[in-house]
Amino acid sequence: MSSDSARTEGTTGTTDSAAFWENHYAGVEPQWGTRPNAVLAEVVTALAPAPIGSGRALDLGCGHGGDALWLAARGWDVTAVDVSATALGRVAAGAAAAGHAGRVHPDRHDLARSFPEGVFELVAASYFHTPVEIPRDQVLRRAAEAVAPGGLLVLVEHASLAPWSWRNGDEDVRFPTPDEVRASLRLDGGWRTERCHAPRRTATGPGGETATVTDNVIAVRRLRPQREV
């Protein structure tokens, strides 16, 4: 999505992110996003196969709730965040239909101005983007601050959207090193980088259309403080 406000205004009639996404979800059938992001699922399965600590997860930009429902089915207590009331309504309905109403908690935030309170053992941000101006780096750093000791922050972004991406032409992507990721998120020595790569995959849209996309995958864990001897 473009962050050019003028371009957004010309195509949607508004520069308000909530209004844009309400318009978007009104015209999209609910099947979009009902399955989890495949890359996120692979990373969480490998690095956090079972809930840790209190088992609280935060799903930023939950859309139709595919990630939130997948996490709930695996025992996580999920706060599902979106700016769109329509999206959150679909997430709630999906959770109730799947028998996970007690584990999925819709919470409306635009993230640029408001952010959910509390700490979480898993914070997932898949394709967190917006058509209007938003302090991306600030929001992603706030996401890191919300991770509990021992918890995991997983970011999945299209390569052309991630703030730490560099593109050469239409195909080549130089994915950043772990040190560059840590610097971008302003992480100190209390974090460990567990994934930092850019897999390519075939994505299928709700209408059956397919495309090859490159995803930036970053997973970092906040280390538990060492006990003094």
Side-chain angles (χ1 to χ4, degrees):
M1 296 274 178
S2 170
S3 61
D4 187 324
S5 296
R7 200 181 322 169
T8 300
E9 194 166 17
T11 56
T12 68
T14 181
T15 56
D16 178 71
S17 183
F20 176 91
W21 287 112
E22 287 298 340
N23 181 67
H24 169 79
Y25 285 114
V28 176
E29 292 299 320
Q31 72 261 28
W32 180 268
T34 54
R35 290 175 295 181
N37 175 275
V39 179
L40 174 72
E42 186 275 326
V43 172
V44 172
T45 298
L47 301 180
I52 54 180
S54 63
R56 296 188 66 204
L58 176 62
D59 181 16
L60 297 177
C62 61
H64 289 291
D67 294 342
L69 298 182
W70 183 85
L71 290 167
R74 280 148 186 80
W76 291 90
D77 191 76
V78 186
T79 297
V81 173
D82 207 289
V83 68
S84 166
T86 299
L88 293 174
R90 289 180 177 175
V91 171
H100 302 315
R103 287 184 175 164
V104 177
H105 315 286
D107 195 8
R108 190 176 184 184
H109 293 277
D110 69 357
L111 299 180
R113 300 177 184 85
S114 65
F115 198 93
E117 297 294 329
V119 294
F120 304 85
E121 282 77 25
L122 174 64
V123 176
S126 295
Y127 307 146
F128 167 59
H129 55 88
T130 178
V132 296
E133 295 294 340
I134 190 170
R136 292 179 56 82
D137 288 0
Q138 176 182 327
V139 173
L140 293 177
R141 288 166 188 151
R142 180 65 186 85
E145 293 172 0
V147 178
L152 195 68
L153 169 64
V154 181
L155 307 177
V156 181
E157 299 271 13
H158 289 310
S160 59
L161 294 174
W164 39 71
S165 294
W166 294 268
R167 299 201 63 171
N168 299 313
D170 294 330
E171 298 293 336
D172 296 332
V173 177
R174 183 183 81 76
F175 196 70
T177 66
D179 286 344
E180 289 172 326
V181 171
R182 295 168 69 88
S184 178
L185 292 176
R186 296 180 183 171
L187 304 182
D188 58 21
W191 291 80
R192 179 175 66 234
T193 303
E194 301 206 350
R195 289 291 178 90
C196 183
H197 64 145
R200 288 192 175 187
R201 65 184 179 89
T202 299
T204 303
E209 66 277 13
T210 61
T212 299
V213 298
T214 301
D215 294 310
N216 283 353
V217 182
I218 297 165
V220 289
R221 190 179 302 278
R222 184 189 290 273
L223 302 179
R224 297 182 185 276
Q226 293 184 347
R227 294 181 179 179
E228 295 183 4
V229 179

